Amino acid sequence: MKKLFLSALLVGLFLIPTTNVSAQNENRETSHWSLGVRGGGTYFRVSPNAGDHMENMSWGVGGVLEYGINPLWGFGLSVDLLNFNRGDDMPGRTIDAGLFGSVNLLNLLSPNRTGWRRGGVYFNLGGGLGFYNSEVVSQDIHVDGIAHFGLIGLGIEIPLGNTFALFGEGQYRRYAMSDDHLGGLPSHKNDAYFASLGLRMKFNANRRDHVRNTRPATYRDEINALRSDLRQLQGQADKTASDVNNLDRRVNDDRRQQDATNQHLQNEIDELRRELEALRNQQFVVFSNIEFQFDSHQLKPTSFAALDRIAADLRNDTNWTKLTLTGHTDNVGSNAVNQRLSVRRAEAVKAYLVQQGVPASKIEVVGRGAEQPIATNNTREGRAQNRRVEFQLSR
């Protein structure tokens, strides 16, 4: 009977860890190892008869190293020093080393709890070897031996944070020996109870999800995760739609701005064409797109496009004999200064046209200073119109 009991315990020990249960979050890295130290009271029934319970009570200490496979199952190694008495003259002790499997009953029976997830109630099943010794003090007798044992236990764990937890456990241990001796003398029963309290440390629990701090994933968790993913996708879709709308507005704004720019350029081209046509008809023409820096003969970059068109038109038309460029200024400054500035402005236009392939010998330069305004000099706009070069083509 005893061998059958021990065999059942050992079979249970190796069957428990093989069950596979998904962890709380399979996508996150988890930690599994924990170490606990404990101490408490023992009650061994090892006297030759039922005896006095108080005389059979003593103390024990130990430690346990566990590996949690997932929030439900785990296994571990325990080493305990347990004392027992058969009277004042016959103390004894055993060092029990055992393996056990563990199941978190709280996670098994209440996987859907949401307000409190950590901690648990654990059922342990296992067995091992007990290295015992006892003595009869008055007779100086020492007895050593080895016994197989099986154990079952029920414990509770209360977290103190991610890393530490308090735990308590009550165990029943059954020792199996062929001669029914524990401690060298025939015993009433070869079994014991061990009630303990301890402190557990869970390795890497601050950097990862420790399996002892989580519960198994359920269909409700999967539904909540899908809802969360759906909300996230909806948020991304809304953001994408907003970005598309903003991009569409920017494109429309850019298109309107480009249309306005194109229309302005087209107007300038049309104006330039009219001015070129007037020049071909031997009229005095002032090209509105040819401008100079204030108080300078330096051409503005905006003048180059118009001058390029004029030069191309003059190169293609071989029926003209002379181009007269007459420079003018506003009335700011002395007459002598304005006279020189008007000549330089006309020469600057001639130099540019020559660079574009117009024969220099067919271009004449004249300066009129501020003598012939075409607008008032009392406004900025009027003075800008007076700073000009007139074109006259002779055939």
Side-chain angles (χ1 to χ4, degrees):
M1 183 65 182
K2 295 176 182 177
K3 292 183 178 179
L4 180 62
F5 174 74
L6 179 60
S7 299
L9 291 178
L10 294 177
V11 170
L13 169 67
F14 291 104
L15 285 179
I16 286 177
T18 61
T19 305
N20 184 19
V21 178
S22 299
Q24 172 72 15
N25 189 342
E26 294 181 351
N27 295 325
R28 294 190 60 179
E29 191 174 9
T30 57
S31 53
H32 301 268
W33 289 100
S34 66
L35 176 67
V37 292
R38 61 187 175 184
T42 65
Y43 172 64
F44 278 80
R45 296 192 288 183
V46 295
S47 59
N49 49 52
D52 187 344
H53 291 183
M54 293 301 297
E55 291 182 358
N56 291 336
M57 293 185 66
S58 188
W59 59 272
V61 294
V64 58
L65 178 65
E66 291 192 52
Y67 181 87
I69 300 174
N70 52 54
L72 274 183
W73 309 105
F75 62 90
L77 168 69
S78 64
V79 178
D80 299 295
L81 170 63
L82 307 178
N83 291 278
F84 58 86
N85 295 316
R86 293 171 302 174
D88 294 338
D89 193 40
M90 291 181 291
R93 67 196 57 84
T94 177
I95 299 177
D96 290 354
L99 293 173
F100 63 90
S102 177
V103 56
N104 188 336
L105 298 178
L106 193 61
N107 282 342
L108 182 65
L109 301 177
S110 181
N112 290 316
R113 64 190 190 278
T114 57
W116 43 286
R117 296 184 177 184
R118 298 184 300 179
V121 176
Y122 292 86
F123 174 75
N124 298 325
L125 176 67
L129 296 176
F131 303 88
Y132 67 86
N133 67 80
S134 62
E135 55 186 316
V136 180
V137 178
S138 60
Q139 300 181 25
D140 196 22
I141 297 175
H142 298 270
V143 180
D144 299 322
I146 300 176
H148 298 87
F149 71 90
L151 68 85
I152 58 174
L154 186 65
I156 185 171
E157 183 172 303
I158 302 175
L160 300 177
N162 289 334
T163 301
F164 293 98
L166 291 176
F167 71 97
E169 184 180 5
Q171 286 187 0
Y172 171 76
R173 302 192 180 199
R174 177 72 179 183
Y175 295 87
M177 295 171 294
S178 59
D179 55 2
D180 289 335
H181 288 72
L182 183 62
L185 292 175
S187 299
H188 175 62
K189 286 187 177 181
N190 294 315
D191 56 7
Y193 298 93
F194 179 35
S196 63
L197 293 175
L199 180 67
R200 183 185 302 277
M201 182 178 72
K202 290 163 278 191
F203 300 128
N204 293 323
N206 278 331
R207 295 193 297 270
R208 306 174 184 174
D209 283 339
H210 199 283
V211 294
R212 299 183 78 91
N213 294 339
T214 60
R215 61 176 177 81
T218 64
Y219 289 117
R220 181 180 298 174
D221 296 320
E222 294 178 4
I223 292 174
N224 291 336
L226 290 174
R227 287 174 177 171
S228 177
D229 292 342
L230 181 60
R231 287 193 296 269
Q232 184 176 2
L233 290 174
Q234 184 63 48
Q236 293 175 352
D238 293 341
K239 183 178 183 302
T240 301
S242 176
D243 292 341
V244 170
N245 291 334
N246 292 335
L247 180 60
D248 186 59
R249 285 194 295 270
R250 289 197 297 270
V251 169
N252 290 334
D253 292 342
D254 292 342
R255 183 181 296 132
R256 286 192 292 269
Q257 183 177 0
Q258 186 63 44
D259 291 343
T261 301
N262 292 340
Q263 185 61 45
H264 178 71
L265 292 176
Q266 185 62 45
N267 293 339
E268 290 185 350
I269 292 173
D270 293 341
E271 178 66 20
L272 181 59
R273 285 174 178 170
R274 287 191 293 270
E275 292 169 347
L276 286 173
E277 186 62 27
L279 182 62
R280 293 191 190 100
N281 294 330
Q282 302 184 18
Q283 299 177 10
F284 281 101
V285 178
V286 178
F287 290 91
S288 58
N289 291 333
I290 300 176
E291 299 175 337
F292 296 89
Q293 302 288 348
F294 175 73
D295 196 26
S296 171
H297 65 278
Q298 183 72 35
L299 285 165
K300 289 185 177 180
T302 54
S303 305
F304 298 155
L307 288 172
D308 290 341
R309 292 291 299 271
I310 294 171
D313 193 67
L314 292 175
R315 290 196 306 271
N316 295 330
D317 185 1
T318 58
N319 295 324
W320 61 279
T321 58
K322 184 176 69 171
L323 173 65
T324 303
L325 301 175
T326 305
H328 299 270
T329 68
D330 56 29
N331 66 348
V332 178
S334 65
N335 291 334
V337 170
N338 286 333
Q339 176 62 31
R340 288 193 298 270
L341 181 58
S342 65
V343 173
R344 289 174 182 172
R345 284 177 174 170
E347 289 177 342
V349 173
K350 176 182 177 180
Y352 190 91
L353 293 176
V354 170
Q355 288 179 356
Q356 302 303 314
V358 180
S361 60
K362 300 174 68 174
I363 301 176
E364 183 181 58
V365 173
V366 179
R368 299 298 183 189
E371 297 175 359
Q372 302 174 356
I374 59 175
T376 179
N377 281 306
N378 296 326
T379 65
R380 179 183 299 177
E381 292 78 8
R383 289 192 295 273
Q385 294 181 44
N386 290 331
R387 297 192 294 270
R388 70 194 187 280
V389 172
E390 292 180 345
F391 292 68
Q392 183 180 23
L393 196 64
S394 300
R395 295 182 181 276

